[in-house]
Amino acid sequence: MIEDLKATASTLNNLVTFLTEERLKGDQAIKDILLSTHPAFAAIKKAAKISYRVVFYTFDELDALLSARSFKFDPNPSNAESYEWDNEKAENGIRVRKSIFDGDDRLKILTPSEWDNEWVSTYNLRPSSESKESDIPF
């Protein structure tokens, strides 16, 4: 009877270990799926007018992507809660909320229902027509 109890205890221990490992793999699989379809990818693709798939997992990867598209990182953004990249040639810029990245500058996992479209936006670098008119000396 003691041997049967030992065998049962060993089986239960193995089962708990297996289920725990599988659950961790399952959680990681869900995280991988959510990350691979992150709403920020579509938002950056639209804002930068990119025709191919956009994927980045860190701030540095986003910076490299935008730099390759002639956007220059602005170390002094107009909003302290955002990162900004300016494209002087296209006369526009892209603003990205810092909160989509974690403390290690890795993209946070967000579902489409958690996503706010205002977290990635564009802005115009051209002075308004009113500003141009006021600069004219006559």
Side-chain angles (χ1 to χ4, degrees), residues 77-113:
S78 60
N79 179 342
E81 296 178 1
S82 299
Y83 296 119
E84 292 181 354
W85 287 264
D86 297 337
N87 185 331
E88 297 291 337
K89 184 177 178 182
E91 298 180 329
N92 69 352
I94 295 175
R95 183 175 293 119
V96 178
R97 287 292 286 235
K98 292 178 180 180
S99 61
I100 71 168
F101 296 98
D102 66 15
D104 294 325
D105 284 337
R106 284 186 289 232
L107 191 60
K108 291 180 184 175
I109 296 173
L110 299 167
T111 64
S113 63

Side-chain angles (χ1 to χ4, degrees), residues 4-62:
D4 287 341
L5 287 174
K6 284 182 183 179
T8 301
S10 176
T11 301
L12 287 173
N13 189 30
N14 290 337
L15 185 58
V16 167
T17 301
F18 174 78
L19 291 173
T20 302
E21 288 174 1
E22 288 303 308
R23 183 170 187 277
L24 291 175
K25 288 179 189 174
D27 287 349
Q28 187 58 45
I30 291 169
K31 287 178 184 178
D32 290 344
I33 290 167
L34 289 173
L35 194 55
S36 70
T37 59
H38 200 288
F41 302 158
I44 292 293
K45 180 178 177 175
K46 181 180 176 185
K49 298 178 182 164
I50 298 173
S51 60
Y52 49 85
R53 184 187 323 197
V54 169
V55 176
F56 57 91
Y57 297 119
T58 65
F59 167 83
D60 289 338
E61 290 176 357
L62 174 60

